[in-house]
Amino acid sequence: MEITYDLLRHSEEINTYIRQADASLEALGFTEHSFAHVAKCAKQAADLLEELGYPARTVELARIAGYLHDIGNVVNRVDHAQSGAIMAFRLLDKLGMPPEETAAVITAIGNHDEETAYPVNELAAALILADKSDVRRSRVRSKDTIAFDIHDRVNYAVERSGLKLDKEAKTITLELEIDSSICPILEYFEIFMTRMLLCRKAAAFFDLRFGIVINGQIMM
């Protein structure tokens, strides 16, 4: 049986881990990392590879990696990419996914966190771009925190975000609309610069240049 994104998305076992991982992050004060985040990452990573002309099965594996990438948070936030890769190996192996596909997926999961990440394959590169570009107001759990939590403030200030691929120009651009009355644009780079530099490496994997446009202005 071919393992599909739809199969995993309806797995109560996997969804239990996603729910508990997000509950742990909520207790620690992190932004939303539940089904909205992982589904968005799954779609964005898959859409990017599809636009770049990768085979349908590779696109499907990107969806799977996106959906599973944060389950390691159920163990601990520290080293969650590596914990998640180990958990994903156990889950996918048990379901009967071929080793070469399992290897590709767990490599991507194990290489998505900026402290240890590198775009070592196309799934990892697509997942990095999808994960690090998911900045949005709806990830903030409570408006009450934006006065003292810079991560919540920056996310809450983002009114629109999206990745735009231009194959002819060989660019991929993160386009953001930020309400600067909520936070100055500098605060975005204060917390996300490391992630944006990682996105530059991920884009380079596809022979693309990574850029950022904020409120219509080219920033990077």
Side-chain angles (χ1 to χ4, degrees):
M1 180 178 67
E2 189 171 72
I3 308 305
T4 64
Y5 169 64
D6 196 55
L7 175 70
L8 301 185
R9 192 167 58 88
H10 290 94
S11 166
E12 186 53 36
E13 179 183 10
I14 289 170
N15 290 340
T16 296
Y17 298 141
I18 293 172
R19 278 191 294 268
Q20 183 54 56
D22 184 59
S24 297
L25 292 185
E26 182 177 12
L28 291 167
F30 284 83
T31 53
E32 178 267 324
H33 282 70
S34 191
F35 297 107
H37 173 61
V38 299
K40 185 175 177 65
C41 288
K43 183 179 187 309
Q44 183 69 77
D47 286 351
L48 176 59
L49 292 188
E50 187 171 42
E51 285 188 75
L52 290 170
Y54 280 85
R57 186 57 185 165
T58 303
V59 171
E60 184 73 350
L61 293 179
R63 288 192 187 92
I64 290 170
Y67 196 70
L68 297 178
H69 81 279
D70 267 343
I71 58 173
N73 285 304
V74 76
V75 178
N76 199 291
R77 180 61 178 175
V78 178
D79 296 329
H80 75 281
Q82 289 74 33
S83 301
I86 293 168
M87 290 178 65
F89 168 77
R90 170 76 167 78
L91 292 163
L92 297 175
D93 184 61
K94 182 172 67 172
L95 288 169
M97 178 177 276
E100 61 275 12
E101 293 187 353
T102 301
V105 171
I106 65 173
T107 295
I109 294 171
N111 278 280
H112 85 269
D113 184 66
E114 59 266 24
E115 293 186 7
T116 54
Y118 196 82
V120 293
N121 65 12
E122 62 270 24
L123 300 187
L127 178 56
I128 287 168
L129 288 161
D131 183 40
K132 307 315 172 194
S133 66
D134 186 19
V135 186
R136 52 187 161 83
R137 179 168 292 181
S138 56
R139 294 194 71 182
V140 178
R141 300 180 192 271
S142 172
K143 188 179 177 181
D144 295 338
T145 60
I146 65 175
F148 59 85
D149 188 306
I150 187 172
H151 287 84
D152 281 355
R153 185 162 59 252
V154 169
N155 275 276
Y156 192 81
V158 175
E159 298 177 326
R160 187 185 67 84
S161 64
L163 281 175
K164 181 180 179 181
L165 173 65
D166 187 330
K167 289 194 288 185
E168 186 175 336
K170 303 190 75 171
T171 61
I172 185 164
T173 305
L174 174 59
E175 297 182 342
L176 300 168
E177 289 182 7
I178 294 179
D179 185 342
S180 58
S181 69
I182 296 173
C183 83
I185 290 172
L186 182 61
E187 286 194 343
Y188 176 87
F189 290 100
E190 183 178 341
I191 61 172
F192 288 142
M193 180 56 81
T194 302
R195 300 181 191 185
M196 297 301 94
L197 293 175
L198 180 59
C199 284
R200 179 183 285 176
K201 293 178 182 177
F205 179 93
F206 300 117
D207 197 26
L208 300 171
R209 287 181 291 109
F210 178 73
I212 303 174
V213 172
I214 300 179
N215 297 348
Q217 299 296 312
I218 298 173
M219 309 296 292
M220 181 177 172

